[in-house]
Amino acid sequence: MDKVRLGIIGFGGMGQAHAANLVAGKVARCELVAACDAVAANLAKYPQLRGFATPEELFAAKCCDAVLIATPHFAHTTLGIATLQAGLHVLVEKPISVHRADAERLIAAHTDKSRVFCAMFNQRTDPYYQEIRRLVQSGELGAVRRINWTITNWFRTHAYYGMGGWRATWKGEGGGVLLNQCPHNLDLFQWIFGMPKRITGFCTFGRYHDIEVEDDVTAYLEYADGCHATFITSTGEAPGSNRLEIAAERGRLVYENDKISWTRNEVPMSEFSRTTREAFGRPKTEEVAVNANGHGGQHIEILQNFVDAILDGAPLKAPGAEGIHSVELANAILLSAWTGKAVDLPLDGAVYERALNEKIATSKPKAKPAVEAVADLSKSVV
Amino acid sequence: MDKVRLGIIGFGGMGQAHAANLVAGKVARCELVAACDAVAANLAKYPQLRGFATPEELFAAKCCDAVLIATPHFAHTTLGIATLQAGLHVLVEKPISVHRADAERLIAAHTDKSRVFCAMFNQRTDPYYQEIRRLVQSGELGAVRRINWTITNWFRTHAYYGMGGWRATWKGEGGGVLLNQCPHNLDLFQWIFGMPKRITGFCTFGRYHDIEVEDDVTAYLEYADGCHATFITSTGEAPGSNRLEIAAERGRLVYENDKISWTRNEVPMSEFSRTTREAFGRPKTEEVAVNANGHGGQHIEILQNFVDAILDGAPLKAPGAEGIHSVELANAILLSAWTGKAVDLPLDGAVYERALNEKIATSKPKAKPAVEAVADLSKSVV
């Protein structure tokens, strides 16, 4: 096999954005051959592709080696399983599932390891996050003591939430900012720092918008080694912040506005504290230049890596199974907010699924918005 | 009366720092005449003053119109009450008390309103904080939606905590970073934003040092109008941060490194969100210069204001009774951390006093530290 024949299931905004890259030849050794969507008008935009109204028809046509799933979230699990069961390689958009139990089902379906199972965590290709991860995991920063990620620049308007009655409902999306906007950030968080052992979540539901899901979140994460973190996000703030601060033994690192600033302690802070005679002394510091160039290949790089994994056995940058972690973080924050109690990890997937199903049982499609939306998707694709 | 004759009770580091300013004539119409401390060597440093071993002797000598109390925290309440009962004006160092019930007792003792009762919240004289407060309280910033104050540049070494067996014990100080370093920040917080209705506190006790009290804190504060805040502090981080971020309807304000940055929304964010047709639009912004010059008169300005209030009836910049709020915030954070539950405000002072007394009952003086401290107090006086 010298190229991968790809189909896209879910041919709305994201599916078409991927198609544009593929048709433009940006992914080597990958031919987009098919698209699947219940809406014929979506398929009509790429008449050169074989169009299918249902995934079953696409599978039956046996025209694809691999499938990219870009449907609404809830279908990621069922279609991911169906794709693997059809014997195809699969790349699943984020989040890989809406809740942990579904993620476990999807991962369990990946029995044939000759098939590649990948997740679209394109922000892992960003050199800034790669460099921060390297500094943390190599030990150059020393033990991490405290983290704050304030990622509140996900501003979304009432018009945005008015697009489609399913959006920002428990039944339609299974969550709000944590499930739709933040899967990347939650994935990067666990990719850089690992998983916490306990989470306390504070969420407000429909604080800024007429929606039933969370649009404003603060979470407190506790790690087994005593490190702790705050994760703060919202779709109601403008201009909002995107600022990651790490307090580590070797100093303070801040990533904001495309700049990584590391104030490095010459002596680890706890060692200095333990050994100095000065009551009010502090370690000498130096400003260390941390360079990163651009934001990487993003979606195209993940697609290329998926193809290279299929054709050459290249190691995956975003293995599908790792997608369970960002799902679990989102679920734990919501469960804690609903119950008013801290949630210990690993989360019991069945407990969360029951709690979510209770929300879904009373979930209501939204009323038509007062203003009709104009969506420039180029401003949103992440 | 054309000048105030002042006595200082508690003539350790802070008391002597105040004395140096007063003896240098930095406070107009105020004559430092007396000092009181159980340690004769402390009194010997200012032989020109009348020295007293006990407050009772100082009161009996009737040589003072007013008293500044700069003892360890627990004595602030009892000596504040004694000073008022002696018919004198009183300026109490922060915190005015260790816990809310004590603060209530102190405030209740202020029955003769012809006597001035002031608290040493010198950071209220800082033009930066004054300007931020003006922007919030005038409505220029619009409704405040979220606040984060990360104030982790209170680094203290093992040698610091080794100075005196009483330090950083429940019995000796009644708390850690919240009672010793943060009263200013907690006071500024409530002075600028008002009091929350509910607090969840996460504290680690002796995380960075061999102490029994908290040296690392994250708190989540909820306001009646839906605004929420995180307050993060530590004495274990170096270099640490001091960064105040305010997300308000009229934009984002950040105060850090002696700079106030306000990214102003031309249209309030919620109004924009409600009225635009753009799904991914956001309000236009402009960078607004917010100027503040220097950090104000600090301790000297509060002392001068205290004197002016006594002699001229000038309005107080830091009325003593307002000191209960920072105490209550600190108490609520600790109580929440101890119980693992959110604490509703106003705090029940009796409940907290009982909980603190349980800690005090098993409190132990610390062992002698491995290194002997060298303390340059000029690096610490706030």
Side-chain angles (χ1 to χ4, degrees), chain B residues 10 14 56 69 148 152 205 225 234 279 345 371:
Chain B
M14 271 317 295
E56 292 71 24
I69 295 171
N148 170 269
T152 54
F205 302 92
D225 68 353
S234 174
L345 268 51
V371 290

Side-chain angles (χ1 to χ4, degrees), chain B residues 11-27:
Chain B
F11 212 62
M14 271 317 295
Q16 291 175 37
H18 291 308
N21 286 329
L22 290 157
V23 167
K26 294 183 182 173
V27 181

